[in-house]
């Protein structure tokens, strides 16, 4: 049985960052820094994504929601982690990024993963509940709307006011189980 770190490294090898970047940024895919996508949006640096995936603790067969999927890279990484029996729904509020990210995921052959455009709702409630939710945008607080989309015992990882936060749903409510590290992300559009 492989370790969680080994599983995350295998996912990163299976879904190379360069495949999810605009052509001008591809030569810089190996750098451990955020890279510009479009319109002020970025593809997070690999060490940040790695840390978030480790905190998320994705298992084979999980149903995962990827909020702020951007280029589709994190959606593809999550698809590698859930394997052929899992499912990943990526959501993005920007129509151009949702189309491009979805095309990237499809071109890379991740059939159990889709990127959707979120309109007037946070997340993708029509496919809830999820085992895991990853958020790649900074929230002012833990969004109740996302906690509602978690199954009981499910886990949510997101930056809250710059601090990476791990939340589990217990007894129908959010319980913060860890806060670790300071990060800079674009603001989360919550509608809450």
């Amino acid at each position: 049985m492989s370790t969680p770190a080994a599983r995350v490294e295998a996912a990163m090898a299976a879904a190379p960052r360069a495949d999810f970047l605009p052509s001008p940024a591809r030569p810089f895919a190996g750098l451990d820094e955020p890279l510009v996508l479009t319109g002020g949006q970025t593809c997070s640096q690999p060490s940040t994504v790695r840390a978030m995936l480790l905190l998320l603790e994705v298992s084979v067969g999980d149903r995962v929601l990827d909020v702020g999927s951007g280029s589709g890279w994190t959606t593809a990484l999550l698809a590698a982690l859930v394997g052929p029996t899992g499912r990943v729904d990526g959501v993005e509020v920007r129509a151009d990024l949702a189309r491009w990210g979805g095309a990237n995921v499809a071109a890379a052959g991740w059939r159990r993963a889709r990127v959707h455009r979120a309109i007037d709702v946070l997340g993708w409630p029509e496919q809830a509940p999820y085992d895991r939710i990853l958020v790649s945008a900074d929230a002012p607080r833990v969004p109740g709307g996302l906690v509602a989309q978690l199954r009981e015992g499910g886990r949510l990882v997101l930056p809250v006011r710059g601090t990476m936060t791990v939340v589990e749903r217990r007894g129908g409510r959010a319980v913060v189980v860890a806060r670790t590290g300071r990060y800079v992300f674009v603001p989360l559009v919550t509608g809450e």
Side-chain angles (χ1 to χ4, degrees), residues 20-156:
F20 297 87
L21 294 172
S23 296
R26 287 182 180 169
F28 308 103
L31 298 177
D32 192 30
E33 60 187 52
L35 296 174
V36 174
L37 295 175
T38 181
Q41 302 299 303
T42 61
C43 178
S44 296
Q45 64 195 59
S47 61
T48 298
V49 172
R50 184 179 293 109
M52 293 176 77
L53 293 176
L54 285 168
L55 291 169
L56 197 59
E57 298 180 359
V58 176
S59 295
V60 171
D62 276 352
R63 297 181 73 245
V64 182
L65 176 61
D66 182 22
V67 177
S69 57
S71 70
W73 184 45
T74 51
T75 304
L77 292 168
L78 290 163
L81 289 168
V82 302
T85 58
R87 175 189 170 96
V88 181
D89 286 304
V91 291
E92 180 58 56
V93 295
R94 290 189 40 185
D96 58 336
L97 278 181
R99 278 192 304 275
W100 182 58
N104 288 339
V105 169
W110 297 104
R111 292 194 241 342
R112 305 279 299 165
R114 299 280 183 274
V115 175
H116 313 275
R117 179 166 181 222
I119 302 173
D120 299 328
V121 66
L122 179 59
W124 198 245
E126 65 190 59
Q127 291 296 321
Y130 291 96
D131 299 296
R132 299 288 186 264
I133 299 177
L134 180 70
V135 180
S136 297
D138 193 51
R141 65 190 161 283
V142 176
L146 289 181
V147 174
Q149 292 173 57
L150 266 181
R151 72 161 173 78
E152 186 66 17
R155 179 172 274 224
L156 163 65

